[in-house]
Amino acid sequence: MGEFILARGNGRHIPQEDKIFGISNRAKAAIAEKGYDKVVNGTIGALLDNDGNLVVLESVDKVFKELAPTDYAEYAPIGGIKPFREYVQKAAFGNRAPKGFKEAVATPGGTGSLRNTVANYSDVGDQILTSDWHWAPYNTIAGEIGRSVATFELFTEDGKFNIASFRAKSSELLAKQESLVIILNTPAHNPTGYSLTVEDWENVIEALCEEAECGKTISLLIDVAYIDFAGDEDEYRRFLPLLERLPENVISIVAYSLSKTFTLYGTRCGAMICVAKTQEIADEFRRVCEYSSRGSWSNTARIAQVILSKIYSDPELLRLVDEERAKYRNMLLARGKAFSEAAKECGLEIVPYDAGFFISVPCDDPDKYSKILEAEDVFLVPLAKGLRISVASVSEDKCRTLPAIIKHAMEK
Ligand SMILES: Cc1ncc(COP(=O)(O)O)c(C=O)c1O
């Protein structure tokens, strides 16, 4: 029997079970059987407290509970309610808004922004460029609409951002296609935790200015899903004004997500925000993205748009939300520090890490090591080039002991 019974394959290979969900389910079963303390579930892409419970910001929850029925029951306009379209730019850019023509379109999470960017700024058959270490759904998003992913090497041998590889790959793709969508997930990249430095960004912008001389369209999608869990909000937005240097045929699109920043994962809300050189290009962005939204999910759920608008229109409330998030961010950063220090002590190599939800350990046969670790009740995600550990879902104590366990498994 072929891979599909009645469904059409359309060139896709769809596994029977999603690998990450499979491991995650086995981890949950192990916790149910043996208890939370006996198991390490490092597979979850959401922030959990030290007892394994989902962190939900109380200040955000309070706004949620006080909503009027129309705040969630009514349809939102396709591109989002008006206050959201404005306030979400403040949320994404903070005090570092680049000058230029900016438009925001509401999307179902950062995922919707990724999908709309690929759909509208590349042609069918094109390759989308991102780094070799990347969030696997980029492949799914591109593949679902007839595109695929090409990669550059994220790191040099000595663990720095590989600008030479970025430049070479961009140039190679621009030579053979009419446009190029580039996805950079920073700061606090998934799966490595790397954040491009301001110097890395200067190099990226310089490379793109040179590549753009060919006259083709380049779309730089900056996936900032973890921007508020990297460290000081303003410090990690310092790169944004550099986008002003890009020429007219390069559009920057920031894929902003409310999932992590407001712990509103399940409400499916985000926004795509463009920074364009002319009003015409920004208007076109809004028109094509709204049209595409209509044809895929129609409008985005209103509820989180209202919540964000209420938070940003009340400075005291915004202060409370920022303060509460900072407390959890510090918890997360302490876990990352504990893990990387312990890795250094026991000689476990990790991929250059700065901050965020994930740390990666490079290795040759990730599936093998993930199975060995699973037998010891340590559940991690095997990627193409290593193992991913979610420090977002593992307590600080466990983060301190985990590197030695992984190192030991790798010696088997
Ligand atoms: C790298 C990256 N980008 C984007 C997203 C988008 O998430 P959402 O669609 O929930 O906003 C995620 C979520 O896990 C992610 O890890």
Side-chain angles (χ1 to χ4, degrees):
M1 188 167 53
E3 205 187 348
F4 296 93
I5 305 166
L6 299 185
R8 313 311 301 159
N10 285 317
R12 299 168 302 173
H13 167 69
I14 304 179
Q16 295 296 336
E17 178 190 62
D18 181 282
K19 205 161 151 182
I20 302 187
F21 286 124
I23 299 176
S24 178
N25 286 339
R26 293 198 292 281
K28 283 182 197 146
I31 291 172
E33 190 193 327
K34 300 173 190 175
Y36 178 72
D37 286 348
K38 303 277 183 305
V39 176
V40 174
N41 184 1
T43 65
I44 300 178
L47 187 59
L48 308 187
D49 65 17
N50 287 332
D51 299 318
N53 302 309
L54 182 72
V55 168
V56 182
L57 296 180
E58 267 178 43
S59 48
V60 174
D61 185 49
K62 188 161 179 290
V63 180
F64 196 111
K65 301 258 168 65
E66 288 170 2
L67 292 175
T70 47
D71 287 335
Y72 51 83
E74 200 183 332
Y75 278 131
I78 298 287
I81 59 172
K82 197 157 179 286
F84 176 77
R85 299 172 82 123
E86 273 156 33
Y87 287 129
V88 78
Q89 296 189 37
K90 184 77 190 138
F93 297 139
N95 296 323
R96 303 278 179 175
K99 290 190 202 82
F101 295 88
K102 297 177 286 270
E103 283 288 343
V105 173
T107 54
T111 304
S113 311
L114 285 154
R115 190 261 168 214
N116 260 0
T117 300
V118 173
N120 289 294
Y121 288 91
S122 67
D123 288 308
V124 170
D126 274 0
Q127 289 199 293
I128 309 305
L129 182 62
T130 193
S131 49
D132 47 0
W133 292 93
H134 64 261
W135 190 45
Y138 293 161
N139 302 287
T140 319
I141 292 166
E144 276 293 290
I145 46 177
R147 281 79 163 168
S148 59
V149 167
T151 58
F152 66 93
E153 284 171 32
L154 183 53
F155 299 111
T156 56
E157 291 272 303
D158 58 349
K160 302 279 187 313
F161 180 74
N162 197 336
I163 187 69
S165 180
F166 174 82
R167 204 183 263 270
K169 262 298 184 189
S170 311
S171 170
E172 182 191 318
L173 292 173
L174 277 165
K176 58 182 184 196
Q177 48 192 54
E178 285 313 303
S179 60
L180 179 61
V181 171
I182 302 173
I183 303 175
L184 292 182
N185 171 213
T186 183
H189 174 251
N190 176 4
T192 68
Y194 186 72
S195 304
L196 268 74
T197 62
V198 171
E199 196 190 337
D200 293 335
W201 266 110
E202 301 239 352
N203 292 332
V204 165
I205 300 293
E206 190 188 305
L208 291 180
C209 286
E210 282 172 28
E211 294 303 328
E213 282 171 19
C214 68
K216 294 182 177 176
T217 303
I218 301 176
S219 312
L220 174 63
L221 183 132
I222 310 157
D223 179 352
V224 298
Y226 299 92
I227 194 165
D228 291 311
F229 284 95
D232 180 77
E233 291 91 344
D234 193 51
E235 183 61 29
Y236 276 92
R237 284 170 168 80
R238 269 176 58 210
F239 71 93
L240 286 165
L242 297 177
L243 302 175
E244 292 166 14
R245 296 187 194 165
L246 293 167
E248 192 171 323
N249 56 329
V250 183
I251 186 168
S252 305
I253 300 170
V254 171
Y256 182 78
S257 167
L258 277 67
S259 298
K260 284 97 190 166
T261 293
F262 294 94
T263 63
L264 287 171
Y265 311 84
T267 62
R268 309 307 305 134
C269 187
M272 54 197 310
I273 310 166
C274 78
V275 182
K277 267 276 168 331
T278 69
Q279 187 63 56
E280 291 72 27
I281 295 171
D283 288 344
E284 177 192 69
F285 166 87
R286 182 172 166 177
R287 181 164 54 90
V288 300
C289 294
E290 289 189 355
Y291 184 84
S292 249
S293 298
R294 186 67 173 129
S296 37
W297 47 75
S298 187
N299 50 53
T300 298
R302 174 182 279 260
I303 190 161
Q305 299 181 43
V306 174
I307 293 173
L308 181 133
S309 305
K310 283 192 187 295
I311 292 170
Y312 270 82
S313 59
D314 178 344
E316 177 54 17
L317 180 56
L318 177 60
R319 193 184 61 77
L320 282 178
V321 173
D322 284 345
E323 258 178 33
E324 197 186 354
R325 184 189 311 110
K327 190 179 78 184
Y328 287 111
R329 180 171 63 227
N330 289 339
M331 175 185 83
L332 178 70
L333 295 176
R335 291 178 187 173
K337 191 159 174 271
F339 189 100
S340 30
E341 281 174 2
K344 203 165 179 190
E345 275 161 30
C346 74
L348 177 75
E349 190 193 347
I350 63 172
V351 180
Y353 165 82
D354 173 52
F357 280 36
F358 306 105
I359 291 183
S360 287
V361 171
C363 61
D364 276 343
D365 194 347
D367 283 310
K368 174 174 133 190
Y369 296 121
S370 111
K371 283 203 188 82
I372 293 176
L373 286 160
E374 214 180 293
E376 298 174 27
D377 288 322
V378 173
F379 295 82
L380 307 177
V381 174
L383 308 167
K385 300 181 70 167
L387 292 171
R388 188 189 78 173
I389 298 102
S390 164
V391 291
S393 66
V394 175
S395 70
E396 187 177 334
D397 286 348
K398 285 179 182 169
C399 282
R400 205 162 277 121
T401 54
L402 198 49
I405 299 173
I406 299 173
K407 173 92 179 153
H408 187 66
M410 287 184 165
E411 282 161 359
K412 281 190 180 163

